[in-house]
Amino acid sequence: MTLEADEMLLFRNTMRITDGHLEEFTAAVREAIGFVERNAPQVMVQTFVDAERMLAYSYQMYADSAAVLEHWRVSEDQINAVSAHCTVVDFQVHGSPDERVLAGLRGMIDDGTAVVTPRIAGFVRGAVSP
């Protein structure tokens, strides 16, 4: 896979875990990430949990907007399973998604939950393995 810096997108999702749902949330995230690793096009996915504050942070890197759309298509059930145990409080999109991705994020952009910031510079080291 060739990564083009101007097309890459990095998502940072901050989620508030529903009180009493930490174990269910963690299990749903692990299951979702396993599914995504096998079936979806993300270049990278990492999720971190601050159990004391009941917050989780997910980072996802995509080669381009088409990869985001494919992830949404194949992973809808997994996204819903995780969402059953949390609320998105901040969603950052770094890069320049196309109009189709922006349309999918429109509700969160309009209500201020999501923000899109364009890339100004950067690089990726090393090869990306499948």
Side-chain angles (χ1 to χ4, degrees):
M1 169 189 307
T2 302
L3 297 175
E4 300 295 331
D6 288 339
E7 294 181 15
M8 290 172 41
L9 298 168
L10 178 63
F11 288 4
R12 179 182 185 261
N13 182 5
T14 303
M15 297 159 278
R16 178 157 310 283
I17 303 164
T18 304
D19 287 340
H21 288 239
L22 181 58
E23 287 184 31
E24 295 90 341
F25 174 83
T26 301
V29 166
R30 287 186 173 133
E31 185 173 319
I33 290 176
F35 176 88
V36 165
E37 185 175 16
R38 292 185 306 274
N39 300 292
Q42 284 95 322
V43 174
M44 178 273 299
V45 177
Q46 293 290 324
T47 303
F48 305 88
V49 172
D50 178 345
E52 185 175 312
R53 295 174 55 210
M54 291 297 279
L55 293 172
Y57 307 92
S58 174
Y59 296 84
Q60 298 187 32
M61 181 175 285
Y62 299 88
D64 54 27
S65 291
V68 173
L69 297 171
E70 178 64 6
H71 164 62
W72 289 346
R73 186 186 72 75
V74 302
S75 305
E76 182 177 1
D77 290 343
Q78 288 70 34
I79 294 167
N80 291 337
V82 171
S83 297
H85 305 290
C86 67
T87 304
V88 175
V89 294
D90 183 56
F91 196 89
Q92 298 175 21
V93 177
H94 302 290
S96 298
D98 69 17
E99 289 302 318
R100 300 167 301 167
V101 172
L102 289 172
L105 297 169
R106 181 60 50 210
M108 288 196 307
I109 292 170
D110 290 348
D111 74 12
T113 302
V115 175
V116 179
T117 55
R119 176 187 169 278
I120 59 167
F123 65 91
V124 175
R125 288 195 199 278
V128 177
S129 60

